[in-house]
Amino acid sequence: MFNIERWQEIFEAIAKNKLRTFLTGISVASGIFILVILLGVGKGLQNGIEKQFERDAAGIIEVWSGATTKAYKGLNPGRQIQLRNSDYDVSVQKFGDQFDKNVSTYNAWGASIVHGKESGNYQYRGVNSDYLAIENATVVQGRFINANDLIYNEKVAVIGQKIKLDIFKEKNPIGEQITVNNINFKVVGVYTDPGGEREEGRVFLPLSTTQKVYGVGDKISNMFYTLKKKDTYEEALAEAAKFTADLGVLLKSKNTIAPDDESAIGLHNSTIEAKKFYDLNLYIRLFFWWVGICTIIAGVVGVSNIMMIIVKERTKEIGIRKALGASPISIIVMILHESIFITTISGFTGLLTGLALLELIGPHAQSEYFVNPQVDFTVALSTLIVLIVAGALAGFVPAYQAAKIRPIVALRDE
């Protein structure tokens, strides 16, 4: 147990070795400081990755087309593949029972959107009613595209918050007319998107209307799918990987593309991509832990050395204690108290300094893939445990040697 006399003894022992203790404390504090900063950086990278993936629905699989790079069945390479309604229909027919949501879209960039005297160039996208969930967007005014809009080729539009602010200013856009590339549409909704302005600079139209009024026939630009949820992440990952492979085979066969041609049909599986990023982040954070702990070990060695010196200088005192009846355990506890005290105080200094630096600089050191670097309570608690264990390890060998000192030998020590 700690009491006033024991605290006085600790401070007196440390005071006799001020310089050595100070330098050792700096070593331990810097180790904890580096560990906290590195873990904060790792958390910032993880937050950035999560922010990128939260923009769209979880487990989304996206399909687009490109140009062939290999000759196949008498057809030359370099053919531009065009996805059509039939590609989407055949995928739904074959895999529809696996889907939670499924969407096909037609996209066009640089569309001129005009309302009164206000105008701007934005993207328009022909979609169906499920696209709102795929985009992970939220309607804040009015409604989204619905089934009737698609069946009756209605000329309705849902605009992003950015377009509302740019074109309509403070005016309520619901029910107002806009022209999209010289075609009139009625605004029926306004949406917001986690992606911010980049994602909110779009206008969504019914896909059937888009194909008809802009004369693109049955052409589509992308197909999106989300699969039904599974009980475990491993099951979801395995099913997503299998579906992506099977879909690729189906579309390549339908469009007469070589099975090993990876450029003609593009497939992006966010579940697989997320796993790659999270695995990479895990390895980075483990590396950070390793670097930080190695730095702490260097400090622990310093603490162990200083305790060896303290034990040697207090050999006579230890001998007197043992002669007066002190047990080996009490000697070990005495030395361990001093060792743990040095590492804990130094470590807390490094911990608090690191946390303060992250709190001060973190909000200003953010980018698209690096957000809110911080160390949570669990990690701080883990660091505290590391400190206590490090202090005990640093003092164990000196304490064990002190416990072995024979009183008669110690009393002869000069």
Side-chain angles (χ1 to χ4, degrees):
M1 294 177 61
F2 277 145
N3 52 42
I4 295 177
E5 293 180 358
R6 181 84 279 272
W7 279 103
Q8 290 176 341
E9 291 174 0
I10 291 174
F11 285 126
E12 288 173 2
I14 292 173
K16 291 178 182 178
N17 297 272
K18 290 180 181 178
L19 180 60
R20 296 192 191 100
T21 303
F22 175 75
L23 294 176
T24 302
I26 289 293
S27 179
V28 174
S30 63
I32 292 295
F33 174 81
I34 291 171
L35 176 59
V36 169
I37 294 299
L38 290 177
L39 293 179
V41 169
K43 184 64 174 178
L45 292 172
Q46 180 180 333
N47 292 339
I49 292 170
E50 290 176 351
K51 185 175 180 180
Q52 293 301 310
F53 283 104
E54 75 179 10
R55 288 180 174 177
D56 297 316
I60 189 171
I61 297 153
E62 181 180 0
V63 184
W64 65 93
S65 61
T68 60
T69 58
K70 298 183 179 182
Y72 186 64
K73 291 187 176 180
L75 299 173
N76 293 327
R79 289 183 298 123
Q80 185 65 43
I81 301 301
Q82 174 62 61
L83 293 175
R84 299 184 180 275
N85 290 342
S86 58
D87 293 294
Y88 175 71
D89 293 339
V90 74
S91 70
V92 174
Q93 290 170 6
K94 184 165 184 178
F95 304 110
D97 59 336
Q98 300 179 40
F99 299 153
D100 179 38
K101 304 291 183 183
N102 48 278
V103 178
S104 60
T105 69
Y106 180 83
N107 313 324
W109 285 260
S112 174
I113 298 179
V114 180
H115 172 74
K117 296 181 180 180
E118 302 293 338
S119 64
N121 291 322
Y122 306 92
Q123 182 195 76
Y124 73 78
R125 179 169 290 187
V127 301
N128 68 22
S129 56
D130 278 347
Y131 190 75
L132 185 66
I134 293 290
E135 188 68 18
N136 198 22
T138 303
V139 173
V140 292
Q141 283 184 263
R143 64 173 178 86
F144 197 66
I145 306 299
N146 61 33
N148 285 334
D149 298 330
L150 295 162
I151 293 171
Y152 297 108
N153 301 321
E154 297 288 352
K155 292 182 180 178
V156 295
V158 180
I159 62 174
Q161 187 73 13
K162 175 177 170 53
I163 298 178
K164 174 193 172 183
L165 295 175
D166 291 348
I167 302 295
F168 290 93
K169 311 300 182 186
E170 299 299 322
K171 184 179 179 181
N172 183 0
I174 304 301
E176 297 291 331
Q177 294 287 325
I178 60 173
T179 63
V180 182
N181 280 356
N182 300 316
I183 303 294
N184 289 325
F185 289 86
K186 183 173 74 171
V187 177
V188 296
V190 179
Y191 72 91
T192 61
D193 191 286
E197 286 192 359
R198 184 179 66 178
E199 307 296 330
E200 291 176 355
R202 298 173 179 170
V203 55
F204 297 140
L205 314 171
L207 176 60
S208 59
T209 307
T210 303
Q211 291 174 328
K212 183 176 180 180
V213 300
Y214 293 113
V216 297
D218 63 347
K219 293 180 181 179
I220 57 177
S221 303
N222 298 89
M223 299 186 293
F224 298 89
Y225 310 91
T226 59
L227 304 180
K228 294 177 181 177
K229 292 186 178 181
K230 295 296 180 182
D231 293 334
T232 66
Y233 176 74
E234 289 72 20
E235 289 179 346
L237 184 64
E239 183 183 45
K242 183 178 184 304
F243 168 71
T244 302
D246 291 344
L247 181 61
V249 170
L250 174 66
L251 295 176
K252 288 176 182 179
S253 174
K254 182 179 180 300
N255 290 279
T256 320
I257 300 169
D260 58 346
D261 190 340
E262 300 300 326
S263 299
I265 297 292
L267 290 148
H268 179 270
N269 187 325
S270 67
T271 304
I272 296 174
E273 294 303 315
K275 185 177 187 303
K276 291 179 182 178
F277 277 108
Y278 284 125
D279 286 348
L280 175 62
N281 183 256
L282 174 63
Y283 299 145
I284 292 173
R285 297 184 76 181
L286 289 175
F287 174 74
F288 286 168
W289 268 105
W290 182 77
V291 171
I293 288 175
C294 285
T295 309
I296 292 172
I297 289 174
V300 167
V301 172
V303 173
S304 183
N305 289 335
I306 193 68
M307 295 309 300
M308 292 282 284
I309 294 171
I310 290 174
V311 167
K312 185 171 181 60
E313 292 178 349
R314 297 173 64 188
T315 299
K316 194 167 187 176
E317 174 197 336
I318 293 171
I320 292 173
R321 286 175 178 272
K322 295 192 73 174
L324 294 175
S327 66
I329 290 296
S330 67
I331 299 298
I332 290 175
V333 170
M334 178 183 70
I335 302 301
L336 286 180
H337 279 170
E338 295 171 10
S339 173
I340 292 173
F341 178 81
I342 293 173
T343 54
T344 302
I345 294 299
S346 302
F348 264 120
T349 301
L351 176 63
L352 294 176
T353 304
L355 292 174
L357 185 63
L358 287 175
E359 188 69 24
L360 179 65
I361 298 179
H364 306 287
Q366 298 189 13
S367 67
E368 189 174 6
Y369 290 94
F370 186 78
V371 178
N372 192 23
Q374 59 183 348
V375 176
D376 58 29
F377 175 77
T378 302
V379 174
L381 182 62
S382 301
T383 307
L384 176 61
I385 294 173
V386 169
L387 286 176
I388 296 173
V389 172
L393 291 175
F396 179 75
V397 173
Y400 182 71
Q401 291 184 349
K404 291 173 61 178
I405 293 176
R406 296 173 59 191
I408 188 65
V409 174
L411 292 173
R412 291 175 182 171
D413 185 67
E414 295 294 336

